[in-house]
């Protein structure tokens, strides 16, 4: 059982409803725009692909708080590429751009997806792909927003402590 599952069970012993990602999140893929490295104009806006920042460019495709999920090209299928971004950024076509609406906090979504096994949602052979049709079917737990915020505080603190330990 993952840490987030343990926390949900602790805070919501009666259980929580699970909903499809497509019902509780906006998938903002329509603004994604790939640009060959030779055609990019250098700048200070992060240019994201499946595995984090690929470059810094002039201009942006999105502005706000989002969770980026590798569509294809994740460096690891066991530790699938999930990124949390805020502010202006450019997303290429190898990453899904998602954010919670109404019932889901973005940081909660990020933590849940970071601990998830994506294997059953991936298609393709040698290059696994998470297409949008499969993405929106992913079941997300939906505890009350106050519980999500408390879980996020705990997991963010845990993540920070881990990073400090690794940095030593």
């Amino acid at each position: 059982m993952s840490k987030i599952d343990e926390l949900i069970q602790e805070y919501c012993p009666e259980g929580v409803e699970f909903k499809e990602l497509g019902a509780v999140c906006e998938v903002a893929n329509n603004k994604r725009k790939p640009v060959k490295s030779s055609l990019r104009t250098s700048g200070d806006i992060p240019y994201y692909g499946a595995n984090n920042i690929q470059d810094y460019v002039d201009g942006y495709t999105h502005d706000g708080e989002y969770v980026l999920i590798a569509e294809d090209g994740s460096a690891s299928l066991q530790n699938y590429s999930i990124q949390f971004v805020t502010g202006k950024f450019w997303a290429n076509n190898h990453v899904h751009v998602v954010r919670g609406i109404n019932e889901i906090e973005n940081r909660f979504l990020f933590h849940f997806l970071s601990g998830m096994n994506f294997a059953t949602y991936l298609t393709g052979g040698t290059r696994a792909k998470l297409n949008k049709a499969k993405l929106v079917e992913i079941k997300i737990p939906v505890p009350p927003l106050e519980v999500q915020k408390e879980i996020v505080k705990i997991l963010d603190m845990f993540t920070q402590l881990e990073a400090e330990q690794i940095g030593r």
Side-chain angles (χ1 to χ4, degrees):
M1 183 182 290
S2 73
K3 188 65 177 163
I4 199 164
D5 291 331
E6 291 173 13
L7 290 167
I8 290 170
Q9 191 171 41
E10 179 182 328
Y11 284 95
C12 301
E14 303 298 315
V16 297
E17 184 177 2
F18 279 71
K19 295 185 178 180
E20 288 188 345
L21 183 141
V24 294
C25 294
E26 169 195 6
V27 180
N29 286 352
N30 58 331
K31 295 180 182 177
R32 299 180 306 174
K33 187 176 178 186
V35 180
K36 285 189 212 176
S37 59
S38 61
L39 299 177
R40 293 179 202 148
T41 303
S42 187
D44 31 342
I45 302 294
Y47 177 88
Y48 283 91
N51 295 298
N52 216 331
I53 296 171
Q54 308 293 308
D55 202 351
Y56 289 89
V57 297
D58 186 35
Y60 60 95
T61 57
H62 298 79
D63 186 8
E65 188 177 88
Y66 290 90
V67 177
L68 305 182
I69 307 164
E71 180 173 347
D72 56 17
S74 180
S76 168
L77 298 183
Q78 289 71 35
N79 188 19
Y80 207 73
S81 181
I82 308 295
Q83 304 162 75
F84 183 79
V85 297
T86 58
K88 293 178 180 173
F89 64 95
W90 192 299
N92 74 17
N93 60 321
H94 296 286
V95 65
H96 292 293
V97 182
V98 178
R99 68 174 158 191
I101 50 176
N102 303 324
E103 300 175 86
I104 294 289
E105 287 284 323
N106 289 320
R107 287 293 296 171
F108 178 82
L109 179 66
F110 166 76
H111 283 295
F112 176 76
L113 294 173
S114 294
M116 194 183 126
N117 181 345
F118 282 84
T120 59
Y121 295 97
L122 302 176
T123 61
T126 56
R127 186 173 171 108
K129 180 178 176 98
L130 176 64
N131 63 40
K132 184 179 176 187
K134 290 288 189 185
L135 171 73
V136 298
E137 292 176 355
I138 293 172
K139 300 283 191 197
I140 306 291
V142 187
L145 286 171
E146 319 79 67
V147 171
Q148 290 181 43
K149 289 175 185 176
E150 190 60 31
I151 289 172
V152 165
K153 273 191 225 176
I154 293 166
L155 293 177
D156 281 350
M157 194 177 344
F158 184 72
T159 302
Q160 183 180 357
L161 289 171
E162 276 185 323
E164 289 172 7
Q165 289 295 336
I166 292 170
R168 289 183 180 188

